Each structure stands twice: as C-alpha cells, then as structure tokens.
C-alpha cells in the first residue's frame, strides 16, 4: 500500500529520526517525490525544515519504496538513473545509504 501524499512528510521524518545513519550523514535534504507528488526538506536530525538544503533528491515514490524495502541499493538506483541527486558526492552516498535503513510505515 502506498503512502498518501499527505503522509509522506511525516512518514519520512519519523523514519529519519529513527535512523542513526541519517544523523551520521549530517545533511539537510530536499526530497522532490513524484507519483504521488510531494516535496519536503529534512534536517540532519530528521525534522521537517524550511532551511536551505545541502542536497536535492528527485525520486518517484515507487523507487523510494524499493530503496527503503531493500529491493534496490542506492548505487543501483543512481546508476540506473532512478534518482537525481545534487550535492557533495560523498555525503550524497551517505544519505543514500541512510535511506536504505529507513523503515517506512505504510
């Protein structure tokens, strides 16, 4: 079952707050999610914020679900062009690896 567009921000925020890898990545990330459309920015603690992001991730909800469910690695998602990520490269991979540790509640 997909996450409704209204629930995407709170669901990702809760998952980030529960993921030590997210805090370790130390990035402020704007997510631009398609299918369904949602846009949000998370700070290094996983809180929703209006702060200027250090990274921008453009990804479909289905690909985000695949990442967080372990059906696809971040590297495979990037190389297959299923995500567009902008920001410092090494930190981008830390954020991507953190996403694979999220437990999204549908």
């Amino acid at each position: 079952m997909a996450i409704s567009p209204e629930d995407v921000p709170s669901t990702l925020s809760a998952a980030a707050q529960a993921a030590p890898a997210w805090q370790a990545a130390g990035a402020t990330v704007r997510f631009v999610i398609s299918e369904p459309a949602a846009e949000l920015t998370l700070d290094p603690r996983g809180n929703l914020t209006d702060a200027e992001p250090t990274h921008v991730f453009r990804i479909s909800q289905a690909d985000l679900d695949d990442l967080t469910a372990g059906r696809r690695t971040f590297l495979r998602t990037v190389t297959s062009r299923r995500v567009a990520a902008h920001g410092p490269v090494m930190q981008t991979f830390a954020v991507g690896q953190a996403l694979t540790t999220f437990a999204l509640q549908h």
Side-chain angles (χ1 to χ4, degrees):
M1 183 172 142
I3 301 168
S4 72
E6 301 82 30
D7 293 336
V8 168
S10 60
T11 300
L12 281 179
S13 179
Q17 290 172 14
W22 181 264
Q23 289 92 24
T28 300
V29 180
R30 180 177 320 263
F31 289 93
V32 181
I33 301 169
S34 61
E35 306 163 23
E39 190 168 329
L40 63 126
T41 304
L42 296 178
D43 71 13
R45 293 180 310 277
N47 297 316
L48 294 167
T49 184
D50 291 328
E52 188 67 26
T54 56
H55 295 74
V56 177
F57 277 60
R58 296 180 191 285
I59 190 168
S60 73
Q61 182 65 49
D63 289 326
L64 183 60
D65 286 344
D66 284 349
L67 263 176
T68 60
R71 292 186 292 267
R72 181 174 285 124
T73 65
F74 182 69
L75 183 59
R76 183 173 175 193
T77 303
V78 168
T79 58
S80 64
R81 297 184 182 176
R82 294 182 163 288
V83 63
H86 303 279
V89 174
M90 295 309 289
Q91 195 175 31
T92 297
F93 278 91
V95 169
Q97 288 303 109
L99 288 175
T100 65
T101 69
F102 279 21
L104 296 183
Q105 300 300 316
H106 297 277

